[in-house]
């Protein structure tokens, strides 16, 4: 019988050494999130108040903090509205043209969060396609049904590429005809040259 005691602190130490050595990418935010650097200054954003509708005061305060800070921590037990808050924050930032990367440890959690973001975003701007992208496999049926044609990279690629493929096919066919015509003209030119030499 044996006992294994694992101390995950080495993972944090390794992460710190990687972040510290990675100078070209300026990992101030990542280092500051673990207390090893000052938070970078950001220009406070003025979020559309529509994104605060339906939120409780703590959730509204979170939007205010996120609008003015480079790092915002949101913690709460299950069912307290973290995903709803995060959806409002991401939608408000996206509405201002900010780039946001949303990641999660499971596809379902990511789909749920993204669905909240898009629902909130839709209250202010119509999602026409490409403003938000879902990379990887969508697993939530509601998200797939409502938004896959507007957020799935492969679907958007097909929407954009199919007309281009059709144009390429049309142009290729026209080019083939032109090449045949040029070939016929060259043959006629050679025949003319032969007759000219004889005469």
């Amino acid at each position: 019988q044996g006992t294994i005691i694992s101390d995950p602190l080495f993972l944090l130490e390794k992460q710190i050494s990687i972040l510290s050595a990675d100078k070209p990418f300026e990992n101030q935010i990542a280092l500051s999130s673990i207390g090893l650097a000052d938070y970078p200054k950001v220009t406070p954003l003025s979020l559309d108040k529509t994104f605060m509708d339906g939120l409780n005061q703590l959730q509204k305060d979170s939007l205010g903090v996120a609008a003015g800070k480079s790092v915002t921590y949101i913690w709460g037990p299950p069912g307290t509205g973290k995903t709803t808050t995060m959806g409002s924050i991401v939608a408000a930032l996206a509405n201002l043209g900010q780039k946001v990367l949303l990641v999660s440890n499971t596809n379902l959690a990511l789909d749920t969060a993204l669905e909240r973001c898009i629902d909130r975003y839709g209250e202010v701007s119509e999602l026409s396609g490409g403003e938000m992208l879902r990379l990887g496999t969508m697993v939530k049926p509601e998200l797939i049904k409502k938004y896959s044609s507007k957020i799935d990279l492969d679907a958007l690629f097909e929407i954009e590429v199919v007309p281009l493929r059709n144009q390429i096919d049309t142009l290729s066919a026209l080019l083939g005809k032109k090449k045949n015509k040029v070939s016929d003209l060259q043959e006629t030119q050679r025949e003319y040259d032969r007759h000219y030499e004889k005469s």
Side-chain angles (χ1 to χ4, degrees), residues 75-96:
W75 179 89
T80 54
K82 297 180 299 295
T83 304
T84 298
T85 304
M86 185 272 319
S88 294
I89 291 171
V90 172
L93 292 173
N95 189 53
L96 291 173

Side-chain angles (χ1 to χ4, degrees), residues 15-188:
Q15 188 65 35
I16 291 168
S17 72
I18 291 170
L19 290 171
S20 299
D22 206 6
K23 297 287 184 223
F25 297 103
E26 299 179 14
N27 290 301
Q28 283 298 106
I29 292 178
L31 286 170
S32 61
S33 70
I34 51 179
L36 296 176
D38 292 330
Y39 289 124
K41 299 273 189 246
V42 295
T43 304
L45 301 170
S46 180
L47 302 181
D48 188 324
K49 300 293 183 198
T50 305
F51 293 106
M52 294 187 181
D53 292 347
L55 301 181
N56 65 36
Q57 192 56 50
L58 288 173
Q59 291 169 320
K60 290 176 184 178
D61 292 345
S62 297
L63 261 72
V65 170
K69 302 287 183 185
S70 56
V71 176
T72 304
Y73 294 97
I74 297 175
W75 179 89
T80 54
K82 297 180 299 295
T83 304
T84 298
T85 304
M86 185 272 319
S88 294
I89 291 171
V90 172
L93 292 173
N95 189 53
L96 291 173
Q98 300 292 308
K99 293 180 182 175
V100 180
L101 175 64
L102 183 62
V103 295
S104 181
N105 61 331
T106 68
N107 280 323
L108 183 58
L110 183 60
D111 284 356
T112 301
L114 184 56
E115 185 178 22
R116 298 272 171 79
C117 295
I118 297 170
D119 287 344
R120 294 297 290 190
Y121 183 83
E123 294 173 12
V124 173
S125 300
E126 184 179 345
L127 191 69
S128 59
E131 297 93 338
M132 296 185 189
L133 295 176
R134 171 62 163 94
L135 304 179
T137 306
M138 284 185 273
V139 296
K140 190 169 184 185
E142 297 88 346
L143 182 70
I144 295 168
K145 183 178 178 183
K146 285 170 37 179
Y147 300 117
S148 67
S149 65
K150 295 181 179 183
I151 63 169
D152 181 60
L153 188 59
D154 292 333
L156 289 168
F157 180 77
E158 283 301 314
I159 290 168
E160 294 297 321
V161 168
V162 166
L164 292 175
R165 280 187 189 145
N166 292 339
Q167 283 183 337
I168 289 170
D169 291 344
T170 302
L171 292 172
S172 295
L174 288 172
L175 183 61
K177 288 178 183 177
K178 297 286 183 194
K179 282 182 178 178
N180 290 340
K181 206 172 213 177
V182 167
S183 179
D184 289 346
L185 287 172
Q186 287 172 337
E187 181 58 37
T188 304

